[in-house]
Amino acid sequence: MKPVKIIEGTAVPLDRSDVDTDQIIPSDWLKRVERTGFEKGLFSEWRDDKNFILNDEAYAGARILIAGPNFGTGSSREHAVWAIQQAGFDAVISPRFGPIFKNNATKNGLVPIEIDSQLGKQLISEVGKNPDLHFVIDIAQRSVEIPQLGLSIEFELEDSVQERFLKGLDDIGITLNNAEAITNFETNRGQWLPSQNLI
Amino acid sequence: MGRTLSQKIWDHHVVRSGDNLPDLLYIDLHLIHEVTSPQAFDGLRMNGRKVRRPDLTVATEDHNVPTENIDQPIEDEVSFKQIQTLRNNADEFGITNYPMGDPNQGIVHVIGPELGLTQPGMTVVCGDSHTSTHGAFGALAFGIGTSEVEHVLATQTLPQPEQETMSITINGQLPFGSSAKDVVLAVLAEVGTGGGIGAIAEFRGSVVESLSMEGRMTLCNMAIEFGAKAGLIAPDQITYDYLKGRKHSPKGDQWEEAIRFWDELKTDADAVFDREITLNGDMITPQVTWGTNPGQVIPVSGRVPKPDDFEDPAEQEAAQRALDYMGLTAGTKMSDVAVDTVFIGSCTNSRIEDLRSAAEVIKGKKVAEGVRTLVVPGSRKVKEIAEQEGLHEIFLESGFDWREPGCSMCLAMNPDKLTVGERSASTSNRNFEGRQGRGGRTHLVSPRVAAASAIAGYFATPEEL
Ligand code: SF4
C-alpha cells in the first residue's frame, strides 16, 4: 500500500443511509479475478439514473465521498473498496460504517472517516449547495479542514492504522516479524483440532 | 471479574499483544471460496509467499455454481474462469477443494459444520460476511476481506482490534410456528442494522438453549446483519450431540479431552457485557421484511409501515425509498401482498431441518398458479439426506423445483435471478436492492412462511392455509 498523508480536494454528497456493498458494487462484478477495472461497476445500478449525484458533472473529480449512516454494510467483498478507489476517491465520510467495509478500506489506503451524524448532515447539505468546497484531510493530525466553512473536524483512527497509512506499511510484512511467536503458538494447540492431514 | 465466552476464545488465541498494536490472533480454520480468494492468491504469488497452513485451509465452490445441469460446462465464461482459478490455486498451494459435484461440496457455511470442521472454542474466518454462522458452535467466527484472506493464507493469523461484548438474551418460549429465523428478524427489528457494530454478540436465554444446531446457525448467520463482528452461542449437549462422529470431530480420548476444554468455555456467572438487550420469546410471531434492509421487519400478520411511523428523519427517508423500490403502499396488509417467486435456500436456511419444516407445510398441497418456486439444498449431503427421506418428492409433487447445492438466488451470481419488479419470499439473509437480481424485490422469511406463501400465492403462515 502507498503512504497516505494528506488528501486534498472536493467532495460529492451521497445523501442516503444504509448504502450496502451490493449497491456499491453489484454481485455480477464479483466474478472477475482481477484487482483492477472495478470503477465502472461503482453504484452501477444507480448510475443508470441520470439524476444520480455521481453523474453530476459539477462533482466530477471529487476525491471524497460523503454518505449517510451505515455506509458499506453487508457483504465482505473488498471489491467495494477497490471500486470506490478506482473511481478516484481517497476517503469516505459517514457517521457509521459497516465494520468489514471499514476494515477493508484501511487495508487498501482508503480513509474511512467517522463523524457525528448532525455534522454529517450539515456537510451533505453544504456540499450539495457548493460542489467546489475544498477539503483537506490530514492523517497525521486526524483532522478534516474545510476552510470555506471555517470547520475543523477531528476524527478517530486507531494508532496502528494511522501508522500504516502514514508509512504505507504492508500488514503481512509486520505480522511476519512475529514468525517465531506464531511457531511457538502452533506447538501448543489442542491435538484434537481439525486438520486436513488427520483424515 | 469473570470473562465472557468470546473473551475466553480470544484470550486463548493471542499470539502476541501489546506495543500499541492490535492483538495478533491465531486462526484455527480458514474457509475459502471462489469469489473473494483469487486476488489474495495473486498477492501471495506477487510477493513469493506460500500458504503457511494448507492443512487448516479448506475451499469449496458455492457462490457462482449453477444449480442445474452441473454435469455440463459452466456457460457463463466469467464464472467458469473464476471457478477454474480456484481449482488452479488450490492445486498450486496444496489446499483441499470440494468442487461442484463433489459429495462434500456445498455452501461454505453449511459444509464446515457438516464435516465437523467447526468446533467450539475455535477461531474460524472466511472471506464471506456470513462466517458468523459458525458461532453457533461456540466458535469465534467472522468474515474478512480479500486483503485479510491473503494475510491469513500467508501467516495463519490476523491482527484484530479489541471488540465490545454484547449479550442478546431471548427468554421465554417461542410460540408454535415461530423459528430461529423469526427470532433473528425480531432482533433486527429491535436493534436495527447498526445495533451490533463494534461488538461480538452472544445469544443467550431459554429460547436459544432450546434451539437445534440448525436453528442456532440460522441465528448466528444473521448477526452480521445488525453489524456485529460475530455472533456466538455457548456449546452444550446439543452441540456435542451434533458433532459426535462427524468426519473431523475429535475421536476416542481426544473427544473426552476436547469436551473438558469445551465445558470451560461458557460465560462466567460474574462476567459483565458492554451492551445487553433482552427479548421476550413468547411474543415472537413469524416475521417478514418489508423494505430494503434486514432491519425493516414486521410480523407476517402486520401492515406495511408509514415513513411517519419512524422518529429518526434518516429512517423516514430510508423507509420512503424502500417503499418506492419495493412497490408497496404503506398500510397494506402483508397477507394482501402477492409473491412471484419463492426461494428456499442460502446459508441461513438450507439445512435439512429447514427443508423438513418447509416440506411439512406443503405436503399434499399445490403451489399457487404462476408462482415460481425453487428449493436449493445447502450442500450435497443435505440434498442426499433429503432425498433419502423423500422430501424431494414432496417438493416436486407440489410444484417446486429441486436443485443442486449452492448459493443460488441468495445473491444471484449464477443464472437463478429475479427480474425487474419480481417479488420473492426468500429464506436468505439480505433484502438489499437488487440482491437477488437487478430490480428484484426481496422479502426475508422463515422456511415455513416461504412454503406457506408458495401455496397461498400471498405472504402467509402455514396456520392460515
Ligand atoms: S448463501 Fe448467500 S449469504 Fe450465504 S455464503 Fe452464499 S451468497 Fe453468501
Side-chain angles (χ1 to χ4, degrees):
Chain A
M1 157 174 142
K2 284 202 255 49
V4 191
K5 293 175 181 149
I6 303 276
I7 298 165
E8 257 193 276
T10 57
V12 54
L14 181 61
D15 189 8
R16 299 192 186 196
S17 65
D18 293 281
V19 175
D20 56 75
T21 48
D22 277 75
Q23 305 319 316
I24 300 174
I25 185 100
S27 65
D28 259 349
W29 285 85
L30 310 188
K31 296 179 184 177
R32 305 177 72 250
V33 297
E34 298 81 13
R35 208 175 184 127
T36 52
F38 288 98
E39 62 280 4
K40 284 211 191 69
L42 180 67
F43 299 121
S44 61
E45 302 206 351
W46 291 345
R47 277 198 143 157
D48 289 349
D49 172 3
K50 63 178 189 330
N51 294 321
F52 180 54
I53 193 80
L54 264 79
N55 290 332
D56 188 339
E57 275 304 314
Y59 294 99
R63 294 182 68 189
I64 299 150
L65 182 66
I66 310 181
N70 297 329
F71 185 85
T73 51
S75 133
S76 68
R77 56 187 75 166
E78 202 157 308
H79 315 65
V81 171
W82 303 334
I84 291 172
Q85 284 186 306
Q86 289 162 17
F89 296 102
D90 298 310
V92 185
I93 300 179
S94 161
R96 192 157 59 182
F97 289 97
I100 308 183
F101 173 86
K102 184 176 170 189
N103 196 29
N104 285 342
T106 67
K107 305 287 177 191
N108 288 274
L110 176 70
V111 186
I113 298 175
E114 238 155 16
I115 60 171
D116 169 77
S117 61
Q118 279 310 319
L119 197 55
K121 279 197 196 117
Q122 188 194 342
L123 288 187
I124 286 183
S125 121
E126 295 286 356
V127 178
K129 283 183 277 183
N130 179 6
D132 298 323
L133 271 189
H134 191 77
F135 286 65
V136 183
I137 298 168
D138 187 329
I139 303 298
Q141 300 298 324
R142 298 180 171 108
S143 69
V144 182
E145 309 276 338
I146 312 160
Q148 282 145 287
L149 299 179
L151 270 178
S152 172
I153 305 160
E154 285 181 12
F155 63 92
E156 282 182 34
L157 196 62
E158 249 176 79
D159 291 349
S160 62
V161 175
Q162 184 194 38
E163 187 178 328
R164 270 198 295 113
F165 274 139
L166 291 172
K167 297 188 179 155
L169 295 177
D170 159 27
D171 242 1
I172 297 180
I174 303 177
T175 297
L176 288 176
N177 292 335
N178 300 288
E180 203 179 327
I182 300 174
T183 308
N184 286 341
F185 185 94
E186 283 174 331
T187 53
N188 293 314
R189 296 175 70 236
Q191 293 294 313
W192 67 84
L193 285 164
S195 150
Q196 295 304 305
N197 292 340
L198 293 177
I199 314 167
Chain B
M1 194 174 72
R3 292 178 302 162
T4 67
L5 166 63
S6 67
Q7 286 168 334
K8 290 185 192 183
I9 304 174
W10 187 290
D11 292 349
H12 209 257
H13 287 83
V14 174
V15 172
R16 61 145 288 289
S17 66
D19 290 342
N20 237 349
L21 286 170
D23 287 352
L24 188 65
L25 297 188
Y26 196 81
I27 303 302
D28 291 319
L29 174 66
H30 186 193
L31 297 163
I32 302 250
H33 61 82
E34 71 273 24
V35 175
T36 53
S37 67
Q39 294 88 352
F41 284 109
D42 270 351
L44 290 184
R45 268 188 294 266
M46 247 156 50
N47 293 293
R49 289 173 176 145
K50 289 211 286 272
V51 174
R52 181 180 177 94
R53 295 295 300 265
D55 59 323
L56 306 186
T57 312
V58 176
T60 186
E61 300 168 2
D62 56 2
H63 282 65
N64 244 315
V65 297
T67 55
E68 292 177 294
N69 307 325
I70 61 163
D71 48 343
Q72 312 283 317
I74 299 180
E75 272 178 34
D76 177 344
E77 278 172 42
V78 198
S79 292
F80 176 74
K81 183 172 174 196
Q82 196 167 54
I83 297 276
Q84 202 49 50
T85 304
L86 177 67
R87 292 179 186 174
N88 295 344
N89 283 329
D91 273 355
E92 180 181 339
F93 291 94
I95 293 166
T96 304
N97 178 38
Y98 297 122
M100 195 168 70
D102 187 277
N104 290 323
Q105 179 267 346
I107 304 173
V108 64
H109 311 309
V110 176
I111 67 160
E114 204 171 67
L115 292 167
L117 285 166
T118 308
Q119 297 172 17
M122 286 173 62
T123 47
V124 180
V125 298
C126 173
D128 189 283
S129 53
H130 293 100
T131 308
S132 56
T133 313
H134 306 261
F137 290 79
L140 180 59
F142 51 92
I144 58 180
T146 298
S147 295
E148 291 175 308
V149 170
E150 184 181 338
H151 194 284
V152 177
L153 288 172
T155 70
Q156 204 57 34
T157 64
L158 263 187
Q160 283 297 310
E162 212 184 311
Q163 301 287 318
E164 288 192 359
T165 54
M166 176 176 186
S167 81
I168 299 177
T169 307
I170 302 128
N171 291 323
Q173 198 186 351
L174 288 183
F176 174 79
S178 295
S179 68
K181 182 63 162 285
D182 303 305
V183 173
V184 75
L185 289 174
V187 171
L188 271 150
E190 177 80 19
V191 304
T193 53
I197 289 180
I200 296 172
E202 182 179 336
F203 295 101
R204 298 147 59 88
S206 50
V207 165
V208 178
E209 286 160 23
S210 66
L211 288 175
S212 66
M213 284 319 293
E214 281 86 351
R216 293 177 188 188
M217 286 189 252
T218 302
L219 199 52
C220 290
N221 175 272
M222 289 187 71
I224 182 67
E225 304 309 333
F226 52 89
K229 172 98 187 166
L232 74 183
I233 295 170
D236 60 10
Q237 197 56 43
I238 293 177
T239 321
Y240 305 161
D241 290 346
Y242 178 98
L243 280 170
K244 185 121 200 180
R246 299 212 172 238
K247 182 170 176 187
H248 286 277
S249 295
K251 310 268 159 16
D253 289 352
Q254 288 186 350
W255 173 258
E256 302 302 324
E257 201 187 321
I259 296 240
R260 276 194 293 280
F261 174 67
W262 298 343
D263 276 341
E264 300 290 310
L265 290 170
K266 55 175 142 343
T267 295
D268 295 327
D270 57 343
V272 179
F273 289 88
D274 298 314
R275 308 179 204 171
E276 295 198 28
I277 75 153
T278 305
L279 267 73
N280 179 358
D282 297 348
M283 309 299 287
I284 300 177
T285 55
Q287 308 278 308
V288 57
T289 62
W290 58 271
T292 53
N293 77 54
Q296 293 172 319
V297 174
I298 48 172
V300 178
S301 60
R303 289 172 188 270
V304 176
K306 298 190 282 295
D308 293 354
D309 295 346
F310 302 93
E311 270 172 38
D312 178 8
E315 267 187 72
Q316 289 176 354
E317 269 171 54
Q320 186 57 54
R321 212 168 36 242
L323 289 178
D324 293 345
Y325 181 85
M326 295 298 286
L328 289 173
T329 312
T332 311
K333 280 165 72 180
M334 279 314 289
S335 56
D336 289 336
V337 177
V339 296
D340 303 309
T341 291
V342 171
F343 170 63
I344 298 178
S346 91
C347 57
T348 315
N349 283 126
S350 64
R351 299 181 181 80
I352 189 65
E353 186 182 280
D354 302 314
L355 303 193
R356 283 183 194 136
S357 77
E360 192 185 288
V361 170
I362 61 162
K363 191 165 184 177
K365 303 192 176 76
K366 290 276 182 232
V367 168
E369 194 154 318
V371 179
R372 169 162 77 130
T373 48
L374 59 164
V375 185
V376 182
S379 70
R380 188 142 297 279
K381 281 223 175 67
V382 169
K383 185 169 193 236
E384 239 173 60
I385 298 171
E387 290 182 352
Q388 279 162 15
E389 295 180 9
L391 301 184
H392 63 309
E393 280 158 10
I394 299 178
F395 284 115
L396 288 166
E397 272 162 26
S398 292
F400 276 82
D401 267 15
W402 178 247
R403 298 291 186 86
E404 303 291 341
C407 294
S408 178
M409 202 184 265
C410 174
L411 93 165
M413 275 186 81
N414 77 347
D416 309 331
K417 290 183 204 296
L418 295 182
T419 54
V420 176
E422 199 176 341
R423 187 180 303 283
S424 78
S426 174
T427 65
S428 55
N429 45 44
R430 286 191 175 138
N431 53 344
F432 297 157
E433 288 182 24
R435 169 78 177 183
Q436 295 190 292
R438 192 177 180 132
R441 296 164 170 165
T442 302
H443 296 267
L444 306 176
V445 291
S446 71
R448 290 184 92 241
V449 171
S453 306
I455 305 297
Y458 293 85
F459 286 94
T461 58
E463 289 61 42
E464 289 160 347
L465 291 179

